[in-house]
Amino acid sequence: MTEVTVNSRLCGFTHKIKGQMEGDKVIIDIDTPCEKIKNFSHMEVPMMELFDIKDNCVMEKAKDADCTSICLVPCGVLHVCRIEAGLLSKRLAENVGSVDITFE
């Protein structure tokens, strides 16, 4: 199980994303106060959908939920999926701790 917190400070929401590999899919659940994110807070992401940034079910679900183009949740979901699928080192991610955007 992989769990991350996405702090969307621009919109004021904090989201908890949990994912677990089951067969060839990552099962994602998102605990969120955001109504848009609630529209896709449970999903099954096929492993073969983790390689393209544009053509994957996570981005499609975010688009269908009318998320803004700067929403950080889809990126957080993809990070969880890639960790669960073994495409990103969980230890490396835990050691780094966080990724962020700093406005100068």
Side-chain angles (χ1 to χ4, degrees):
M1 166 86 64
T2 299
E3 184 175 338
V4 302
T5 299
V6 174
N7 294 309
S8 301
R9 291 182 180 98
L10 287 175
C11 61
F13 294 124
T14 299
H15 319 270
K16 292 278 189 184
I17 304 170
K18 295 178 184 177
Q20 185 161 349
M21 193 77 180
E22 290 185 12
D24 65 345
K25 296 178 182 166
V26 181
I27 308 303
I28 295 290
D29 286 299
I30 307 170
D31 182 19
T32 179
C34 175
E35 292 302 319
K36 290 181 180 182
I37 302 302
K38 284 180 183 179
N39 288 329
F40 68 97
S41 62
H42 178 79
M43 69 180 95
E44 295 181 8
V45 182
M47 187 167 169
M48 294 309 294
E49 301 251 345
L50 301 178
F51 300 103
D52 192 356
I53 193 165
K54 182 179 175 186
D55 295 320
N56 66 63
C57 69
V58 175
M59 292 307 208
E60 284 299 316
K61 289 188 183 274
K63 179 180 168 187
D64 292 345
D66 202 27
C67 289
T68 66
S69 61
I70 62 169
C71 181
L72 298 175
V73 173
C75 185
V77 169
L78 290 170
H79 273 78
V80 168
C81 289
R82 291 181 68 83
I83 290 170
E84 280 297 301
L87 302 170
L88 175 62
S89 166
K90 188 171 189 172
R91 180 176 293 163
L92 172 64
E94 288 171 346
N95 286 341
V96 169
S98 68
V99 289
D100 59 38
I101 298 169
T102 303
F103 297 98
E104 309 275 334

XYZ file of all heavy atoms in Angstrom:
799
model
N 0.850 -1.178 0.000
C 0.000 0.000 0.000
C 0.892 1.236 0.000
O 1.846 1.312 0.760
C -0.910 -0.011 1.223
C -1.607 1.291 1.533
S -3.153 1.611 0.713
C -4.197 0.345 1.331
N 0.555 2.173 -0.858
C 1.249 3.461 -0.910
C 0.237 4.544 -0.567
O -0.895 4.513 -1.038
C 1.837 3.718 -2.308
O 2.777 2.692 -2.618
C 2.529 5.068 -2.382
N 0.653 5.479 0.250
C -0.213 6.586 0.641
C 0.554 7.891 0.518
O 1.708 7.980 0.947
C -0.696 6.397 2.077
C -1.666 7.447 2.543
C -2.225 7.175 3.926
O -2.201 6.010 4.379
O -2.691 8.136 4.553
N -0.078 8.886 -0.091
C 0.514 10.223 -0.198
C -0.522 11.261 0.198
O -1.726 11.019 0.133
C 1.048 10.528 -1.620
C 2.095 9.518 -2.044
C -0.059 10.615 -2.628
N -0.027 12.414 0.580
C -0.876 13.568 0.857
C -0.578 14.625 -0.190
O 0.591 14.946 -0.428
C -0.595 14.137 2.259
O -0.871 13.125 3.223
C -1.449 15.357 2.543
N -1.617 15.144 -0.812
C -1.476 16.237 -1.773
C -2.068 17.480 -1.121
O -3.261 17.517 -0.811
C -2.197 15.916 -3.106
C -2.157 17.123 -4.025
C -1.576 14.706 -3.774
N -1.216 18.471 -0.897
C -1.643 19.748 -0.324
C -1.872 20.737 -1.460
O -0.915 21.286 -1.991
C -0.595 20.292 0.643
C -0.445 19.415 1.860
O -1.416 19.079 2.512
N 0.775 19.021 2.153
N -3.111 20.946 -1.802
C -3.448 21.885 -2.879
C -3.720 23.243 -2.251
O -4.866 23.660 -2.104
C -4.669 21.375 -3.659
O -4.410 20.120 -4.213
N -2.663 23.910 -1.886
C -2.805 25.153 -1.129
C -3.497 26.265 -1.912
O -4.136 27.136 -1.331
C -1.435 25.602 -0.640
C -0.897 24.677 0.427
C 0.455 25.147 0.960
N 0.924 24.235 1.969
C 1.802 23.272 1.734
N 2.310 23.111 0.531
N 2.185 22.467 2.706
N -3.392 26.250 -3.243
C -4.055 27.297 -4.033
C -5.574 27.207 -3.914
O -6.259 28.220 -3.908
C -3.644 27.222 -5.505
C -2.224 27.701 -5.807
C -1.895 27.465 -7.273
C -2.056 29.170 -5.468
N -6.090 25.999 -3.832
C -7.549 25.849 -3.701
C -7.954 25.560 -2.259
O -9.145 25.529 -1.943
C -8.084 24.770 -4.642
S -7.435 23.131 -4.354
N -6.988 25.315 -1.396
C -7.271 25.138 0.023
C -7.636 23.724 0.452
O -8.088 23.524 1.566
N -7.416 22.736 -0.412
C -7.786 21.361 -0.086
C -6.561 20.494 0.166
O -5.509 20.681 -0.447
C -8.594 20.723 -1.221
C -9.940 21.341 -1.451
C -10.273 21.831 -2.697
C -10.877 21.422 -0.440
C -11.513 22.392 -2.935
C -12.125 21.975 -0.662
C -12.446 22.464 -1.912
N -6.722 19.532 1.060
C -5.729 18.498 1.293
C -6.379 17.165 0.958
O -7.498 16.892 1.381
C -5.249 18.501 2.754
O -4.655 19.773 3.023
C -4.224 17.416 3.009
N -5.679 16.345 0.188
C -6.221 15.082 -0.297
C -5.294 13.950 0.142
O -4.077 14.073 0.062
C -6.282 15.074 -1.831
C -6.746 16.354 -2.423
N -8.065 16.627 -2.680
C -6.055 17.460 -2.799
C -8.173 17.833 -3.211
N -6.964 18.359 -3.285
N -5.857 12.843 0.589
C -5.104 11.633 0.924
C -5.370 10.614 -0.172
O -6.514 10.237 -0.412
C -5.552 11.054 2.262
C -5.204 11.903 3.453
C -3.790 11.674 3.860
C -3.548 12.372 5.201
N -2.180 12.262 5.611
N -4.309 10.191 -0.842
C -4.420 9.219 -1.928
C -3.781 7.921 -1.465
O -2.630 7.910 -1.023
C -3.716 9.724 -3.203
C -4.277 11.075 -3.631
C -3.843 8.691 -4.324
C -3.480 11.763 -4.724
N -4.549 6.833 -1.574
C -4.046 5.505 -1.229
C -4.148 4.622 -2.460
O -5.130 4.697 -3.198
C -4.866 4.879 -0.107
C -4.773 5.605 1.204
C -5.639 4.952 2.251
C -5.607 5.763 3.538
N -6.485 5.192 4.556
N -3.129 3.796 -2.662
C -3.149 2.886 -3.794
C -2.520 1.554 -3.458
O -1.604 1.488 -2.640
N -3.048 0.514 -4.089
C -2.503 -0.821 -3.886
C -2.602 -1.607 -5.181
O -3.645 -1.614 -5.833
C -3.251 -1.555 -2.779
C -2.638 -2.890 -2.462
C -3.066 -3.396 -1.101
O -3.651 -2.683 -0.300
N -2.757 -4.635 -0.820
N -1.512 -2.262 -5.536
C -1.453 -3.090 -6.737
C -2.262 -4.353 -6.510
O -2.097 -5.021 -5.494
C 0.003 -3.432 -7.048
C 0.230 -4.015 -8.397
S 0.166 -2.702 -9.604
C 0.453 -3.620 -11.079
N -3.154 -4.648 -7.444
C -3.924 -5.891 -7.425
C -3.923 -6.437 -8.846
O -4.589 -5.877 -9.721
C -5.355 -5.647 -6.941
C -5.441 -5.303 -5.471
C -6.868 -5.179 -4.956
O -7.817 -5.579 -5.671
O -7.027 -4.669 -3.838
N -3.147 -7.485 -9.050
C -3.011 -8.040 -10.399
C -2.278 -7.069 -11.292
O -1.180 -6.632 -10.981
N -2.904 -6.693 -12.403
C -2.285 -5.739 -13.326
C -2.899 -4.352 -13.218
O -2.770 -3.534 -14.111
C -2.370 -6.256 -14.762
C -3.805 -6.351 -15.257
O -4.740 -6.293 -14.431
O -3.997 -6.487 -16.479
N -3.571 -4.075 -12.073
C -4.197 -2.768 -11.848
C -3.806 -2.218 -10.485
O -3.529 -2.966 -9.556
C -5.723 -2.891 -11.898
C -6.260 -3.310 -13.235
C -7.750 -3.453 -13.176
C -8.233 -3.932 -14.540
N -9.585 -4.398 -14.505
N -3.798 -0.900 -10.399
C -3.612 -0.238 -9.117
C -4.981 0.294 -8.693
O -5.631 1.023 -9.448
C -2.590 0.912 -9.195
C -2.413 1.557 -7.825
C -1.256 0.426 -9.732
N -5.418 -0.107 -7.511
C -6.694 0.356 -6.969
C -6.414 1.627 -6.171
O -5.627 1.623 -5.229
C -7.345 -0.709 -6.071
C -7.426 -2.056 -6.794
C -8.711 -0.227 -5.590
C -8.155 -2.051 -8.112
N -7.077 2.705 -6.568
C -6.861 4.025 -5.961
C -8.109 4.461 -5.203
O -9.231 4.337 -5.715
C -6.551 5.085 -7.051
C -5.222 4.781 -7.743
C -6.571 6.505 -6.488
C -3.993 4.999 -6.884
N -7.905 4.976 -4.008
C -8.969 5.616 -3.239
C -8.442 6.958 -2.757
O -7.299 7.060 -2.300
C -9.390 4.750 -2.053
C -10.207 3.557 -2.495
O -11.294 3.780 -3.080
O -9.766 2.416 -2.286
N -9.287 7.982 -2.873
C -8.888 9.339 -2.488
C -9.860 9.862 -1.439
O -11.073 9.903 -1.665
C -8.884 10.290 -3.706
C -8.038 9.721 -4.840
C -8.383 11.680 -3.286
C -8.179 10.473 -6.151
N -9.317 10.264 -0.299
C -10.100 10.929 0.743
C -9.922 12.425 0.511
O -8.796 12.933 0.616
C -9.596 10.507 2.119
C -10.395 11.128 3.244
O -11.533 11.591 3.012
O -9.872 11.161 4.383
N -11.003 13.110 0.161
C -10.904 14.506 -0.250
C -12.146 15.297 0.119
O -13.257 14.761 0.098
C -10.686 14.583 -1.779
O -10.625 15.956 -2.174
C -11.809 13.909 -2.535
N -11.983 16.580 0.428
C -13.148 17.442 0.626
C -13.632 18.075 -0.689
O -14.682 18.711 -0.727
C -12.630 18.513 1.587
C -11.170 18.605 1.267
C -10.746 17.222 0.865
N -12.873 17.907 -1.772
C -13.196 18.554 -3.044
C -14.255 17.752 -3.796
O -14.074 16.561 -4.066
C -11.933 18.676 -3.897
S -12.233 19.335 -5.552
N -15.340 18.409 -4.166
C -16.433 17.745 -4.870
C -15.994 17.213 -6.233
O -16.435 16.147 -6.656
C -17.626 18.686 -5.022
C -18.309 19.021 -3.703
C -18.814 17.796 -2.949
O -19.352 16.867 -3.590
O -18.650 17.767 -1.713
N -15.134 17.928 -6.922
C -14.663 17.463 -8.230
C -13.848 16.185 -8.093
O -14.026 15.238 -8.856
C -13.836 18.548 -8.929
C -14.663 19.733 -9.379
C -13.802 20.756 -10.073
C -14.637 21.933 -10.514
N -13.841 22.920 -11.241
N -12.964 16.148 -7.120
C -12.130 14.971 -6.911
C -12.971 13.798 -6.414
O -12.723 12.652 -6.778
C -10.964 15.267 -5.937
C -10.093 16.406 -6.455
C -10.129 14.020 -5.685
C -9.488 16.197 -7.821
N -13.999 14.085 -5.630
C -14.885 13.016 -5.167
C -15.504 12.264 -6.345
O -15.826 11.086 -6.223
C -15.992 13.575 -4.273
C -15.524 13.925 -2.885
C -16.665 14.461 -2.050
C -16.169 14.889 -0.675
N -17.244 15.443 0.151
N -15.663 12.940 -7.489
C -16.259 12.299 -8.663
C -15.402 11.181 -9.239
O -15.890 10.371 -10.019
C -16.553 13.333 -9.754
C -17.716 14.215 -9.390
O -18.638 13.807 -8.694
N -17.673 15.450 -9.842
N -14.109 11.143 -8.886
C -13.277 10.025 -9.340
C -12.397 9.499 -8.208
O -11.300 9.011 -8.425
C -12.450 10.392 -10.591
C -11.359 11.411 -10.397
C -10.045 11.008 -10.201
C -11.637 12.756 -10.461
C -9.031 11.949 -10.056
C -10.635 13.699 -10.325
C -9.325 13.288 -10.118
N -12.943 9.520 -6.995
C -12.140 9.169 -5.823
C -11.875 7.675 -5.670
O -11.095 7.271 -4.817
C -12.786 9.717 -4.551
O -14.060 9.142 -4.369
N -12.503 6.851 -6.465
C -12.174 5.422 -6.499
C -11.989 5.021 -7.954
O -12.853 5.297 -8.785
C -13.274 4.573 -5.865
C -12.966 3.108 -5.944
N -12.087 2.499 -5.075
C -13.377 2.153 -6.809
C -11.994 1.211 -5.405
N -12.762 0.982 -6.447
N -10.860 4.420 -8.258
C -10.620 3.996 -9.640
C -9.649 2.828 -9.678
O -8.881 2.608 -8.743
C -10.119 5.148 -10.495
C -8.719 5.631 -10.176
S -8.173 6.985 -11.222
C -8.612 8.355 -10.173
N -9.735 2.099 -10.769
C -8.783 1.027 -11.050
C -7.947 1.481 -12.237
O -8.488 1.766 -13.304
C -9.523 -0.264 -11.377
C -10.322 -0.797 -10.213
C -11.035 -2.091 -10.540
O -10.810 -2.671 -11.625
O -11.833 -2.526 -9.691
N -6.653 1.576 -12.028
C -5.753 2.075 -13.066
C -4.935 0.913 -13.626
O -4.100 0.348 -12.918
C -4.815 3.169 -12.513
C -3.920 3.708 -13.607
C -5.612 4.283 -11.843
N -5.173 0.542 -14.889
C -4.376 -0.531 -15.496
C -2.905 -0.116 -15.617
O -2.598 1.036 -15.926
C -4.995 -0.698 -16.891
C -6.347 -0.060 -16.802
C -6.216 1.032 -15.779
N -2.016 -1.047 -15.358
C -0.584 -0.754 -15.406
C -0.163 -0.164 -16.746
O 0.684 0.726 -16.795
C 0.224 -2.013 -15.114
C 1.689 -1.744 -14.986
S 2.505 -3.163 -14.278
C 4.192 -2.720 -14.546
N -0.748 -0.615 -17.826
C -0.375 -0.125 -19.156
C -0.777 1.339 -19.380
O -0.373 1.947 -20.357
C -0.969 -1.010 -20.245
C -0.394 -2.423 -20.242
S 1.420 -2.501 -20.227
C 1.802 -1.808 -21.808
N -1.536 1.926 -18.450
C -1.955 3.323 -18.571
C -1.000 4.273 -17.840
O -1.292 5.451 -17.705
C -3.374 3.487 -18.021
C -4.391 2.636 -18.720
C -5.332 3.433 -19.584
O -5.392 4.662 -19.451
O -6.021 2.793 -20.393
N 0.115 3.772 -17.354
C 1.012 4.581 -16.529
C 2.184 5.183 -17.280
O 3.032 5.826 -16.695
C 1.560 3.726 -15.371
C 0.512 3.136 -14.446
C 1.184 2.279 -13.392
C -0.327 4.231 -13.808
N 2.235 4.988 -18.582
C 3.417 5.390 -19.320
C 3.271 6.695 -20.082
O 4.257 7.307 -20.450
C 3.831 4.264 -20.280
C 4.137 2.989 -19.550
C 3.235 1.945 -19.532
C 5.324 2.855 -18.839
C 3.513 0.777 -18.838
C 5.615 1.687 -18.139
C 4.700 0.649 -18.146
N 2.068 7.137 -20.333
C 1.838 8.351 -21.128
C 1.190 9.411 -20.240
O 0.258 9.119 -19.497
C 0.928 8.023 -22.321
C 0.879 9.142 -23.341
O 1.483 10.205 -23.107
O 0.220 8.950 -24.381
N 1.654 10.629 -20.329
C 1.106 11.689 -19.484
C -0.256 12.177 -19.971
O -1.073 12.634 -19.192
C 2.089 12.875 -19.357
C 1.642 13.801 -18.236
C 2.229 13.622 -20.683
C 2.681 14.783 -17.796
N -0.522 12.027 -21.253
C -1.773 12.543 -21.807
C -2.848 11.474 -21.950
O -3.984 11.670 -21.538
C -1.498 13.188 -23.165
C -2.719 13.798 -23.794
C -2.384 14.431 -25.117
C -3.649 14.931 -25.791
N -3.401 15.420 -27.110
N -2.491 10.363 -22.540
C -3.471 9.330 -22.829
C -3.471 8.253 -21.752
O -2.884 7.189 -21.916
C -3.188 8.705 -24.206
C -3.367 9.707 -25.324
O -4.322 10.499 -25.255
O -2.542 9.714 -26.255
N -4.112 8.570 -20.625
C -4.271 7.570 -19.572
C -5.586 7.825 -18.839
O -6.145 8.917 -18.881
C -3.060 7.540 -18.631
C -2.906 8.793 -17.828
O -3.761 9.133 -17.019
N -1.802 9.500 -18.023
N -6.070 6.814 -18.154
C -7.393 6.906 -17.531
C -7.438 7.903 -16.382
O -8.483 8.485 -16.114
C -7.887 5.530 -17.112
S -6.996 4.790 -15.749
N -6.316 8.146 -15.716
C -6.306 9.117 -14.611
C -6.597 10.513 -15.149
O -7.457 11.229 -14.626
C -4.958 9.086 -13.855
C -4.906 10.181 -12.796
C -4.723 7.717 -13.238
N -5.907 10.912 -16.202
C -6.132 12.236 -16.795
C -7.531 12.333 -17.404
O -8.166 13.387 -17.328
C -5.065 12.550 -17.832
C -3.703 12.738 -17.222
S -3.716 13.964 -15.893
C -2.066 14.551 -15.981
N -8.013 11.239 -17.974
C -9.371 11.235 -18.535
C -10.412 11.438 -17.442
O -11.349 12.211 -17.610
C -9.643 9.928 -19.290
C -8.980 9.871 -20.642
C -9.448 10.969 -21.590
O -10.666 11.237 -21.679
O -8.584 11.581 -22.243
N -10.235 10.758 -16.306
C -11.189 10.912 -15.199
C -11.132 12.326 -14.619
O -12.152 12.896 -14.276
C -10.945 9.858 -14.133
C -11.362 8.473 -14.601
C -11.291 7.482 -13.477
C -11.634 6.103 -13.972
N -13.046 5.810 -13.970
N -9.934 12.900 -14.546
C -9.804 14.275 -14.062
C -10.485 15.241 -15.027
O -11.169 16.181 -14.603
C -8.329 14.639 -13.894
N -10.313 14.986 -16.309
C -10.963 15.820 -17.322
C -12.481 15.695 -17.226
O -13.201 16.699 -17.237
C -10.480 15.392 -18.707
C -11.089 16.172 -19.844
C -10.534 15.649 -21.164
C -11.333 16.199 -22.319
N -10.931 15.602 -23.587
N -12.979 14.465 -17.098
C -14.419 14.231 -16.988
C -15.010 14.870 -15.732
O -16.168 15.268 -15.719
C -14.727 12.731 -16.986
C -14.435 12.078 -18.329
O -14.274 12.796 -19.348
O -14.347 10.829 -18.352
N -14.195 14.962 -14.672
C -14.641 15.576 -13.416
C -14.514 17.097 -13.448
O -14.843 17.764 -12.474
C -13.840 15.018 -12.244
N -14.027 17.634 -14.575
C -13.872 19.073 -14.761
C -12.831 19.686 -13.825
O -12.979 20.817 -13.363
C -15.219 19.784 -14.613
C -15.249 21.132 -15.303
O -14.503 21.318 -16.286
O -16.004 22.016 -14.848
N -11.755 18.918 -13.559
C -10.642 19.458 -12.766
C -9.932 20.528 -13.583
O -9.915 20.479 -14.810
C -9.642 18.358 -12.434
S -10.249 17.169 -11.243
N -9.318 21.457 -12.907
C -8.544 22.464 -13.609
C -7.250 21.835 -14.125
O -6.806 20.792 -13.632
C -8.188 23.657 -12.706
O -7.295 23.200 -11.684
C -9.419 24.269 -12.076
N -6.637 22.484 -15.087
C -5.404 21.957 -15.677
C -4.228 22.003 -14.704
O -3.212 21.348 -14.937
C -5.057 22.728 -16.953
O -4.856 24.095 -16.649
N -4.338 22.747 -13.613
C -3.245 22.827 -12.639
C -3.499 21.989 -11.391
O -2.741 22.052 -10.437
C -2.935 24.288 -12.248
C -4.140 24.940 -11.594
C -2.445 25.074 -13.458
C -3.846 26.284 -10.952
N -4.554 21.183 -11.397
C -4.855 20.323 -10.243
C -3.710 19.336 -10.027
O -3.248 18.675 -10.960
C -6.160 19.575 -10.486
S -6.626 18.513 -9.097
N -3.248 19.237 -8.795
C -2.130 18.368 -8.458
C -2.542 16.923 -8.171
O -1.701 16.034 -8.132
C -1.388 18.924 -7.235
C -0.755 20.302 -7.401
C -0.158 20.767 -6.080
C 0.294 20.279 -8.490
N -3.830 16.685 -7.973
C -4.287 15.345 -7.596
C -3.987 14.297 -8.670
O -3.470 13.226 -8.336
C -5.770 15.357 -7.192
C -6.288 13.946 -6.954
C -5.967 16.208 -5.945
N -4.278 14.551 -9.954
C -3.943 13.524 -10.949
C -2.458 13.153 -10.933
O -2.108 11.975 -11.053
C -4.345 14.174 -12.281
C -5.404 15.148 -11.912
C -4.996 15.674 -10.569
N -1.589 14.120 -10.754
C -0.153 13.851 -10.669
C 0.153 12.995 -9.442
O 0.949 12.056 -9.509
C 0.616 15.169 -10.616
S 2.397 14.968 -10.644
N -0.493 13.299 -8.324
C -0.322 12.492 -7.115
C -0.784 11.061 -7.326
O -0.124 10.113 -6.891
N -1.911 10.890 -8.008
C -2.416 9.552 -8.313
C -1.406 8.793 -9.170
O -1.104 7.620 -8.906
C -3.794 9.614 -9.018
C -4.188 8.258 -9.565
C -4.866 10.148 -8.065
N -0.871 9.450 -10.183
C 0.105 8.790 -11.052
C 1.378 8.412 -10.297
O 1.965 7.355 -10.538
C 0.421 9.657 -12.262
C -0.722 9.776 -13.271
C -0.425 10.833 -14.319
C -1.010 8.433 -13.928
N 1.817 9.242 -9.348
C 2.976 8.894 -8.521
C 2.684 7.639 -7.705
O 3.520 6.727 -7.636
C 3.342 10.057 -7.586
C 4.254 11.055 -8.193
N 3.823 12.014 -9.072
C 5.587 11.254 -8.036
C 4.849 12.764 -9.442
N 5.930 12.325 -8.833
N 1.518 7.585 -7.080
C 1.146 6.412 -6.292
C 1.128 5.167 -7.172
O 1.667 4.116 -6.800
C -0.225 6.617 -5.607
C -0.757 5.310 -5.031
C -0.125 7.672 -4.512
N 0.530 5.278 -8.344
C 0.458 4.146 -9.275
C 1.838 3.665 -9.688
O 2.116 2.462 -9.713
C -0.349 4.513 -10.512
S -2.120 4.705 -10.225
N 2.710 4.605 -9.999
C 4.056 4.226 -10.456
C 4.849 3.571 -9.318
O 5.614 2.639 -9.554
C 4.783 5.424 -11.036
C 4.139 5.878 -12.362
C 4.847 7.052 -12.988
N 6.168 6.725 -13.477
C 6.425 6.168 -14.668
N 5.442 5.887 -15.480
N 7.672 5.923 -15.033
N 4.668 4.033 -8.093
C 5.323 3.388 -6.949
C 4.784 1.971 -6.779
O 5.549 1.011 -6.647
C 5.141 4.218 -5.658
C 5.961 5.511 -5.735
C 5.529 3.396 -4.426
C 5.670 6.506 -4.633
N 3.472 1.823 -6.788
C 2.862 0.504 -6.603
C 3.250 -0.469 -7.714
O 3.401 -1.658 -7.468
C 1.343 0.617 -6.518
C 0.840 1.037 -5.170
C 1.164 0.027 -4.070
O 0.743 -1.142 -4.178
O 1.830 0.409 -3.094
N 3.423 0.039 -8.924
C 3.779 -0.815 -10.059
C 5.283 -1.104 -10.121
O 5.732 -1.852 -10.982
C 3.316 -0.169 -11.363
N 6.062 -0.504 -9.214
C 7.502 -0.731 -9.199
C 8.257 0.094 -10.226
O 9.416 -0.182 -10.510
N 7.623 1.127 -10.762
C 8.255 1.984 -11.761
C 8.939 3.196 -11.134
O 9.632 3.945 -11.811
C 7.216 2.449 -12.789
C 6.503 1.318 -13.525
C 5.335 1.862 -14.324
C 7.478 0.571 -14.412
N 8.714 3.399 -9.854
C 9.342 4.477 -9.084
C 9.681 3.892 -7.721
O 8.834 3.242 -7.093
C 8.385 5.666 -8.948
C 8.812 6.842 -8.077
C 10.076 7.504 -8.602
C 7.687 7.865 -7.998
N 10.894 4.103 -7.267
C 11.337 3.542 -5.995
C 10.580 4.170 -4.821
O 10.605 5.388 -4.630
C 12.836 3.793 -5.824
O 13.233 3.550 -4.495
N 9.927 3.314 -4.043
C 9.212 3.789 -2.860
C 10.194 4.365 -1.840
O 9.939 5.400 -1.236
C 8.399 2.651 -2.243
C 7.488 3.098 -1.123
C 6.550 1.987 -0.691
C 5.506 2.527 0.257
N 4.476 1.540 0.537
N 11.328 3.707 -1.691
C 12.345 4.184 -0.745
C 12.865 5.562 -1.157
O 13.007 6.459 -0.334
C 13.495 3.196 -0.643
C 14.564 3.672 0.349
C 15.650 2.665 0.534
N 15.083 1.505 1.201
C 15.659 0.312 1.225
N 16.812 0.128 0.614
N 15.108 -0.683 1.854
N 13.144 5.738 -2.456
C 13.598 7.034 -2.954
C 12.542 8.099 -2.681
O 12.849 9.182 -2.176
C 13.901 6.970 -4.446
C 14.215 8.308 -5.128
C 15.493 8.911 -4.563
C 14.307 8.131 -6.628
N 11.284 7.794 -3.000
C 10.202 8.758 -2.783
C 10.075 9.119 -1.309
O 9.916 10.291 -0.956
C 8.888 8.196 -3.319
N 10.165 8.117 -0.438
C 10.075 8.385 1.001
C 11.256 9.209 1.486
O 11.092 10.104 2.318
C 9.987 7.077 1.780
C 8.649 6.383 1.613
C 8.619 4.979 2.207
O 9.704 4.427 2.527
O 7.514 4.438 2.333
N 12.457 8.942 0.953
C 13.640 9.707 1.353
C 13.561 11.154 0.886
O 14.000 12.064 1.590
C 14.915 9.055 0.828
C 15.283 7.803 1.594
O 14.825 7.580 2.712
N 16.101 6.966 0.986
N 13.011 11.371 -0.313
C 12.855 12.734 -0.830
C 11.798 13.467 -0.013
O 11.945 14.643 0.291
C 12.492 12.714 -2.331
C 12.061 14.078 -2.819
C 13.666 12.206 -3.148
N 10.735 12.789 0.347
C 9.724 13.356 1.231
C 8.606 14.091 0.528
O 7.446 13.852 0.788
N 8.934 15.001 -0.366
C 7.891 15.751 -1.044
C 8.443 16.348 -2.332
O 9.647 16.494 -2.505
C 7.335 16.870 -0.156
O 8.307 17.874 0.060
N 7.526 16.673 -3.207
C 7.833 17.463 -4.397
C 6.972 18.708 -4.276
O 5.894 18.661 -3.714
C 7.550 16.700 -5.718
C 8.554 15.601 -5.929
C 6.154 16.142 -5.745
N 7.467 19.825 -4.764
C 6.671 21.040 -4.619
C 6.931 22.026 -5.750
O 7.883 21.886 -6.503
C 6.919 21.701 -3.258
C 8.375 22.077 -3.032
O 9.068 22.509 -3.952
O 8.815 21.949 -1.891
N 6.063 22.981 -5.824
C 6.205 24.111 -6.747
C 6.349 25.348 -5.877
O 5.513 25.606 -5.017
C 4.969 24.240 -7.659
C 4.815 22.984 -8.515
C 5.070 25.496 -8.522
C 3.495 22.900 -9.248
N 7.413 26.085 -6.086
C 7.650 27.293 -5.304
C 7.455 28.504 -6.213
O 8.108 28.625 -7.251
C 9.073 27.301 -4.728
O 9.249 26.121 -3.938
C 9.314 28.528 -3.874
N 6.552 29.383 -5.831
C 6.317 30.606 -6.590
C 7.265 31.672 -6.093
O 7.316 31.984 -4.922
C 4.854 31.048 -6.449
C 3.886 30.067 -7.017
C 3.235 29.162 -6.196
C 3.646 30.028 -8.381
C 2.351 28.235 -6.726
C 2.773 29.105 -8.917
C 2.118 28.210 -8.094
N 8.048 32.238 -7.010
C 9.061 33.248 -6.658
C 8.535 34.647 -6.914
O 7.848 34.911 -7.836
C 10.322 33.021 -7.504
C 10.824 31.602 -7.470
C 11.735 31.271 -6.309
O 12.391 32.181 -5.789
O 11.785 30.098 -5.929
